Every structure is written in structure tokens, then in C-alpha cells.
Amino acid sequence: MSSIPLDYETLRLVWWLLLGILLIGFAIMGGRDLGVGALLPFVARTDEERRVLLNLVGPTWEGNQVWLVLGGGAIFAAFPPLYAVSFSGFYLAMIVILLALILRPVGFKFRGKVKDPRWRAAWDWALFIGGFVPSLIFGVAVGNVLLGAPFHLDDTMRAFYTGNFFLLLMPFALLCGLVSLGMIVTQGASVIAGRTTGPLAERARSYGTISAMATIALFALGGMWIALGVDGYTITSVVDPNAAINPLAKTVTLTRGGWLANYGLYPWMILAPVLGFAGMIGALLALQARWRLPALLASSLGIFGITSTAGLSLFPFLLPSSTVPEASLTVWDASSSHLTLFIMLLVTCFFLPIILLYTGWVFRVMRGTVSTESLEKNPNAY
């Protein structure tokens, strides 16, 4: 491995950062579409207004899913034990998410096939489910990671998940789900308010104001719950960041408020929750002031801060085990080999800039206000 210019520890850290970037990218970019879908039946009152919202996200939503696909691929290739445990243990929850996400492309294509108001209303609610359910369950998943997942490993590193779907619906996990839903609805409202006009934009501002305030309050409540009511995980044995993969070669203890320890060790991490609060407060103020672009930028900053707070609090843990804490998966003992991480990094350095450039070009082409008048001029509109 001496020919590889980066040591194992550095590559593991780089891939932890890249995984975080991909997941945050999906939360921001995919959150635009999920948020608009969750608001569809409430913000838009007429068929024309609902068509405006469909055409607001219809041309770009598929491209935004690239972040989710890349995030899943990064977990599979960079942290295979994490992929094995999470994708099998949370199988039913992921099926629910996938079924909800499938409703979106079907809804976009089939809603306009029949002019019957009942037909279109049914697909509007299907699109609502496609935005609401993933937004909620993704947050519930993060909450369960902070609580610890019920799994253990045997001597051959085979994973055994001992939980079920309903055990995922713990009060703290549901709170995290509401935080996720609130920040994504705020993102969707900022998009609608920024690219539409008239009553549609005004209603979006009203819902966005409520969701931003709810997100701020729920995020603060979650922080207090973490400090006072949730046991955090701490590695108490010596950690070798360059060691071979072996999740069982460590000792772990649980302490109340342990997820806050990183903020004492690395004071700069406090920027994450500060940005989370600042972004949502900024989105709230910008929506009230009718500042279009600042509202979207502030909402995106809030999503970045809130999501980063979860990741930084967990570090170096990827998926703690609530049944056998020593089996918890961390950045240091659940990664792929040194050579695999390096080759993947080279591939990523080539393709990720292309994806960013293409995404920027698409949004530049699709910029501007969407209105009923613009739909009449577009024969390909939904």
C-alpha cells in the first residue's frame, strides 16, 4: 500500500466527508421537490395552480435524485458493513420510502391524462404522499441512528438485526422526523415563493413561515433531548485509524449526553447547530420580507447546519448498536480496503465535478418564474 499517496486514516475521513456531502446534497436538492410535493394540496387551490407547482419541479426532480443514488452507492462501496446492516435491518422502512418515491414519477405522468377533477385530485394526494412520507422517514432514520439500532455481529462478522418496523417509531425518532419534515417543507415553500407570483406565492410564504418556526423549536427541543434524555456512545479503548476492519475490536460505553462530547473536543463543530438555527431564522425573515433568493439560500443553509449537526455529533460512529455497543460501526472499522477507497476517490474526483456542472447548467436553463401564462406557451408542460 506504500504506492498510495494517502494513508488509510485520511481516506476513511475523506469518504466520511464525501458521504456527508452527498446526503446533505440530497437533503437540499431533493428537499426542493419533496417540500413542494408535501405542500401541493395545501398551497395550490386550483388545477392551474397545481400545474404550476408540477412544472416548477417536474423538469429537475429526476436529476436531484442523483444525490440519493450516489449516497446509497457511497455507503455500499465505501462502508459495506454499514450497507449490510442498515439496508437489511431497515428494509421495511426503505420499502415504504421507495414506494412513496415511486408515486412521484407516476403522478407527474398520469395526472394530466384525464381531465376529471377526481382523477387529478387523487394524483395530487399521491404526489403529497411522495413528498411527505420520505421527508418524515428520513428524519426518523436519523433519530434511530442516534438512539442505536438493535443489531449484533457474530465472530464471522455476520450481522443480525433484532428489531422491527414499529420499534423505529420511538418518540425521539419521531421528533427527528418532524425536524426533517419541517426543514424540507421550508425548503419547498422557499422555492414556491421564489419562483411563483400572486396568491400561490403568498400562501407558500405563510406555510414556510410556520414550518420554519416549527423547525427552529423542534431542533432546539431535539438538542435538549440529546443532552438530557439520550445515551451517547463513546469508544473507551485505543483507536488505530489505520487498522484493518474489525468492528468487534473495541470497547464502547454509553453516557447520558454523550453525543455532545465532540463539541468539547472540537469546538469548531458548534458552527453546525449555529448554522442550522441561523439558516432557519434567516429563511423565516426572508420569507416575511419577500426576499426570494435569500429565502432559498437561508433555508439551504439551515438544512446544511441541521444535517451536519447529526453527522458531527455521531462521529466517528456510523451506526451504533443498542444491543451490543461493541458491535457499533465506526468510520475506523467499517470501511472498504485502502486500495478500494483510493480508486473510488479517483473516480469521484472525475465524475463529481461533471455532475455539479451539469446540475448548475440545468438550473440555469430552467430559471425564472413559472405561471399559468408560461404553461400556455409550453406544449410540453405537465
Side-chain angles (χ1 to χ4, degrees):
M1 298 299 178
S2 58
S3 60
I4 299 177
L6 296 175
D7 60 36
Y8 206 1
E9 176 184 3
T10 300
L11 283 171
R12 283 168 160 168
L13 278 174
V14 167
W15 272 103
W16 174 75
L17 288 171
L18 283 173
L19 177 60
I21 290 171
L22 295 174
L23 295 179
I24 292 171
F26 173 69
I28 293 174
M29 303 303 295
R32 296 164 53 95
D33 314 320
L34 295 174
V36 171
L39 288 170
L40 178 64
F42 310 105
V43 170
R45 303 290 173 79
T46 66
D47 183 67
E48 289 76 14
E49 288 182 342
R50 291 179 179 180
R51 287 189 63 212
V52 167
L53 295 192
L54 293 180
N55 286 276
L56 188 63
V57 298
T60 57
W61 76 268
E62 289 177 291
N64 291 335
Q65 302 308 298
V66 169
W67 296 97
L68 179 61
V69 174
L70 290 176
I75 293 174
F76 170 77
F79 301 103
L82 174 63
Y83 178 88
V85 175
S86 60
F87 277 63
S88 59
F90 300 152
Y91 184 77
L92 288 178
M94 291 185 179
I95 289 295
V96 172
I97 291 175
L98 289 175
L99 290 175
L101 290 176
I102 288 171
L103 290 175
R104 289 198 298 169
V106 178
F108 281 127
K109 298 299 182 183
F110 280 87
R111 183 187 184 277
K113 299 295 184 182
V114 180
K115 293 186 178 180
D116 186 348
R118 292 173 299 180
W119 170 270
R120 295 191 172 186
W123 285 114
D124 290 338
W125 284 105
L127 289 166
F128 162 76
I129 293 172
F132 176 87
V133 171
S135 302
L136 180 69
I137 294 184
F138 281 132
V140 171
V142 173
N144 277 279
V145 172
L146 288 164
L147 292 172
F151 74 92
H152 63 274
L153 305 172
D154 66 9
D155 293 338
T156 62
M157 295 297 113
R158 288 187 304 169
F160 296 88
Y161 184 81
T162 56
N164 59 59
F165 177 80
F166 296 102
L167 286 178
L168 300 177
L169 306 178
M170 302 293 288
F172 176 76
L174 290 174
L175 172 65
C176 293
L178 292 176
V179 172
S180 172
L181 178 63
M183 70 182 190
I184 287 177
V185 167
T186 304
Q187 183 81 337
S190 300
V191 172
I192 299 170
R195 295 192 59 200
T196 63
T197 58
L200 189 59
E202 290 302 318
R203 287 193 290 269
R205 290 189 185 97
S206 297
Y207 280 102
T209 298
I210 295 171
S211 63
M213 290 191 295
T215 303
I216 293 166
L218 292 170
F219 187 43
L221 178 60
M224 290 188 291
W225 202 328
I226 283 285
L228 303 175
V230 175
D231 291 335
Y233 290 61
T234 304
I235 300 175
T236 55
S237 57
V238 177
V239 176
D240 182 0
N242 292 291
I245 301 168
N246 184 7
L248 297 177
K250 64 178 180 297
T251 57
V252 177
T253 60
L254 277 69
T255 56
R256 185 57 50 89
W259 290 132
L260 301 179
N262 280 343
Y263 298 98
L265 295 173
Y266 313 103
W268 61 267
M269 288 187 177
I270 197 65
L271 284 174
V274 168
L275 291 177
F277 283 114
M280 285 298 151
I281 293 172
L284 171 63
L285 298 176
L287 286 169
Q288 290 292 297
R290 293 174 174 78
W291 296 337
R292 296 189 173 193
L293 183 58
L296 181 59
L297 294 176
S299 176
S300 299
L301 180 65
I303 292 175
F304 173 84
I306 292 172
T307 309
S308 298
T309 297
L312 293 173
S313 299
L314 283 163
F315 183 82
F317 290 90
L318 297 171
L319 184 63
S321 170
S322 60
T323 51
V324 182
E326 285 72 21
S328 299
L329 305 178
T330 74
V331 174
W332 313 126
D333 57 29
S335 69
S336 293
S337 68
H338 192 181
L339 180 60
T340 300
L341 295 180
F342 179 69
I343 293 174
M344 287 170 50
L345 181 60
L346 295 179
V347 174
T348 301
C349 289
F350 177 78
F351 283 106
L352 188 58
I354 296 175
I355 294 171
L356 292 173
L357 288 172
Y358 175 75
T359 300
W361 177 78
V362 168
F363 276 93
R364 176 176 172 78
V365 171
M366 298 297 176
R367 71 188 185 280
T369 301
V370 181
S371 63
T372 54
E373 292 76 15
S374 66
L375 299 185
E376 293 174 358
K377 301 176 183 178
N378 183 7
N380 298 315
Y382 289 106

